[in-house]
Amino acid sequence: MRRRFAPLFWTQSLGAFNDNFLRMVLLLLAWKSVSPRDWELGPIPGLAAAGFILPCLVFSSWGGVLGDRLDKHRLIRRLKLLELAVALGAMVAVWFENAAMLLVFLLLMGWQSALAGPVKYAILPQHLAPTELVSGNAWIGVGTFVALLAGVLLALSMATWPTHWARVAVMLTLVGVASLGLLVSFAVPVAPARDRISENWHPWRSNHEVLRQALREKHLFPAMLGVAIFWFLVTCMLLLLLIWVRDDFAGSGEAFSLLLVAFVLGVGVGSFLCAHFSAGRLEVGLVSLGALLAGAASLYLASLAPVAASAEEFTGLLSSGHFWQMFFGFMLVGIGAGLYSVPLYTLVQMLSREERRARMLGAVNMFNALAVALALVYGGAILAWRDVGLRGAIAGLGLMILVVGIVLLLRRPRPVLRLLVFALVHVFYRLRFRGRHHIPARGPALVVCNHVSFMDALVLGGASPRPLRFLMDQPIYESPWLNWWFRIVGAIPVDSDRRDPGNVRRALSEVSHALRQGEVVMLFPEGRLTPDGEIQGFRRGLDMILARDPVPVVPAGLAGLWGSWTSHHGGRALTKWPRRFRARVALSFGEPLSARQARSPLLERRVRELKADADAWVEARRKSPLAQS
């Protein structure tokens, strides 16, 4: 992954750095002050914000169309050449300290960034495997925010230098970073165009067309809206941070820098935690958890009592608890934002049609620009409406994000439950998975596995990169303690016709409905727990399902759970005391078989082979002196 991804990561990170560095230089130049404590902002900050919003609104669709129709490798190089040209022009503006000219080049840099934005995300699925997408998006997100932080802090630092040296340093930084980004872009792997439609492109009508296509993608629009909410949160937090530092710490640049570091550090931690928890699969449940964490952390920030301090008193505040409570609160908000955003970007990439992916990401950038504009209006309203107060504004923001998290949790509880169950299974077992990429990324499929214990469904459900519907015995399904959970996760109860006439037919109809909706259904063809640890003969229920819906069948082999208290080893399951903790469990998925192959002895043979492979790994790890230690 490193060789395929590193050039793109550094290319986009260097571009994001130059964009934010140039914007901060414009602000400092407009203030005509070397001190970051000057808070008489004037109209220039609004123009600098417009330098981000307007290009994203107008030109993101162009970037999406170009990204779908041109080789993204060549397009990125051309865009980096454009960035270098803009940097050279901005260098002249800095030399003459001309704020108006610098604003023009900031708009041009925004234009270049708007064209590049959809491309950097649309290229990831062409360079990375589906199991690498979450990690790739996490790194891109971290690179973007670290570049934002570095650009702001370096500009603030240079503002304290002697004027002549500061001008030279700014010029060299702009051109040097742009040149380095251009050089790195030549190492980005080839990414051929995916759109083969030979329709004419009308640049001035592209915004309308891209938005119309995005609104028609009903399964994509909620994810796009979720990303826009993320940028609304980020913009509001940065704006309120500026106001807070102005009010509580007399505009201390050191306070602003440290709290900005806390937020960006939190976003990075949240992004990497998302990649870790996802373990190669898309965990949509992290979106709800991230929103809940960000909302709760915002309310915690709002609860902090105000402490008015002069810039000279700020050093003393560093040793007090108030400032570090703020630091911790901003970091928690950032962690929640990172957990929230990474799965949404991945979801847009995975659900977008390949030939329109860049255009859909262009639409995402347009929605993001609108969200940033709304955030600026929100901040302006807070400034105008003094009765609300800063902490009231932060509390209102926290409540909004909490509502988003609660609504997501209530509308889609399965992903969150799956994530929590998988985390719980990781606590009790040391798991090893192989071949999860064999489960199709889209469309219906059956997952067939040997049945060892009552924990099998939880292990399989957590290991799958997609949510699973699973068949289970009717008596267990009707358990008064667990029935609510089985209903939420969509379990399908099945019983014999002798005890419940018509039950098998209803269960098959439910399975058929799930498959026709494009879901993945898991079943144990043995029909019962193994009594001796070996695979029993497959029953005919699988043939009945495939006769109605001939979908791909993914074989799987599970090992390591025989001997647990949830298996029939040494007595009936769940009637013994647990005798081991953190046992090694292996699960191997095989290549999908066609419905015709699955209805032959080949499927049972493949499941036995996969189980033998998993058994061999578990046994080898048990005998390994290193593993035992």
Side-chain angles (χ1 to χ4, degrees), residues 223-242:
M224 295 179 178
L225 185 61
V227 174
I229 291 173
F230 164 75
W231 283 105
F232 177 85
L233 167 66
V234 169
T235 308
C236 284
M237 272 297 159
L238 294 180
L239 184 59
L240 294 174
L241 172 59
L242 283 168

Side-chain angles (χ1 to χ4, degrees), residues 555-557 588-590 605-615:
S588 296
F589 294 95
R605 186 165 66 249
R606 288 294 296 130
V607 172
R608 292 181 182 276
E609 291 171 356
L610 291 166
K611 177 184 178 298
D613 175 70
D615 276 327

Side-chain angles (χ1 to χ4, degrees), residues 584 624-629:
R584 298 187 182 277
S624 169
L626 182 61
Q628 292 174 1
S629 63

Side-chain angles (χ1 to χ4, degrees), residues 212-556:
R212 184 171 59 85
Q213 292 169 7
L215 292 175
R216 284 191 306 188
E217 300 286 347
K218 301 298 183 183
H219 59 297
L220 269 180
F221 184 72
M224 295 179 178
L225 185 61
V227 174
I229 291 173
F230 164 75
W231 283 105
F232 177 85
L233 167 66
V234 169
T235 308
C236 284
M237 272 297 159
L238 294 180
L239 184 59
L240 294 174
L241 172 59
L242 283 168
I243 300 171
W244 198 336
V245 170
R246 182 198 65 183
D247 292 348
D248 276 10
F249 302 115
S252 167
E254 188 178 357
F256 172 75
S257 299
L258 285 173
L259 293 177
L260 183 60
V261 167
F263 183 77
V264 174
L265 178 64
V267 172
V269 171
S271 298
F272 287 130
L273 283 176
C274 178
H276 175 72
F277 292 148
S278 298
R281 62 190 181 278
L282 177 60
E283 287 290 0
V284 183
L286 289 171
V287 178
S288 303
L289 297 180
L292 293 174
L293 176 59
S298 298
L299 293 178
Y300 168 73
L301 278 175
S303 70
L304 297 178
V307 174
S310 66
E312 291 74 18
E313 295 170 330
F314 173 70
T315 303
L317 278 175
L318 285 179
S319 60
S320 69
H322 176 75
F323 178 81
W324 293 109
Q325 286 177 328
M326 290 176 59
F327 188 94
F328 178 69
F330 274 103
M331 189 169 71
L332 282 181
V333 173
I335 292 174
L339 289 171
Y340 173 88
S341 63
V342 172
L344 288 174
Y345 273 109
T346 309
L347 190 64
V348 173
Q349 292 165 340
M350 294 181 68
L351 295 183
S352 299
R353 286 184 290 174
E354 195 173 22
E355 69 275 10
R356 297 187 184 274
R357 183 177 289 131
R359 270 168 283 188
M360 294 302 98
L361 288 162
V364 168
N365 281 2
M366 295 170 71
F367 292 136
N368 292 347
L370 290 173
V372 171
L374 288 174
L376 294 176
V377 171
Y378 180 78
I382 297 305
L383 286 174
W385 195 6
R386 296 286 183 176
D387 293 339
V388 174
L390 176 63
R391 277 139 189 92
I394 296 177
L397 181 64
L399 286 174
M400 282 190 281
I401 303 302
L402 268 181
V403 168
V404 170
I406 292 171
V407 169
L408 289 173
L409 183 61
L410 294 177
R411 285 180 61 87
R412 298 197 64 186
R414 288 187 197 174
V416 179
L417 286 174
R418 188 174 82 98
L419 181 64
L420 295 177
V421 167
F422 188 54
L424 185 63
V425 172
H426 263 288
V427 170
F428 289 107
Y429 300 104
R430 286 174 285 183
L431 304 171
R432 176 259 202 179
F433 304 124
R434 289 186 62 184
R436 287 185 293 180
H437 61 280
H438 290 310
I439 296 178
R442 293 183 183 180
L446 284 171
V447 175
V448 172
C449 185
N450 59 304
H451 203 4
V452 184
S453 75
F454 284 121
M455 293 294 293
D456 297 355
L458 299 182
V459 174
L460 278 156
S464 171
R466 293 174 60 187
L468 296 179
R469 302 281 302 275
F470 56 93
L471 275 78
M472 65 182 308
D473 288 335
Q474 181 87 26
I476 300 176
Y477 178 85
E478 294 175 348
S479 167
W481 296 101
L482 296 174
N483 179 255
W484 63 273
W485 186 78
F486 294 141
R487 289 179 181 273
I488 290 177
V489 299
I492 303 172
V494 62
D495 204 349
S496 67
D497 277 336
R498 288 180 299 176
R499 286 189 289 186
D500 183 2
N503 179 278
V504 173
R505 177 177 53 81
R506 290 194 300 270
L508 290 177
S509 297
E510 183 66 22
V511 170
S512 181
H513 176 74
L515 293 174
R516 291 172 187 178
Q517 293 295 315
E519 296 185 88
V520 180
V521 177
M522 179 196 72
L523 60 95
F524 301 107
E526 299 165 85
R528 60 193 178 101
L529 294 183
T530 175
D532 55 9
E534 300 300 324
I535 295 178
Q536 309 300 301
F538 286 9
R539 297 186 178 181
R540 57 185 297 268
L542 178 63
D543 292 340
M544 296 169 66
I545 293 172
L546 293 175
R548 301 176 66 165
D549 298 281
V551 299
V553 179
V554 180

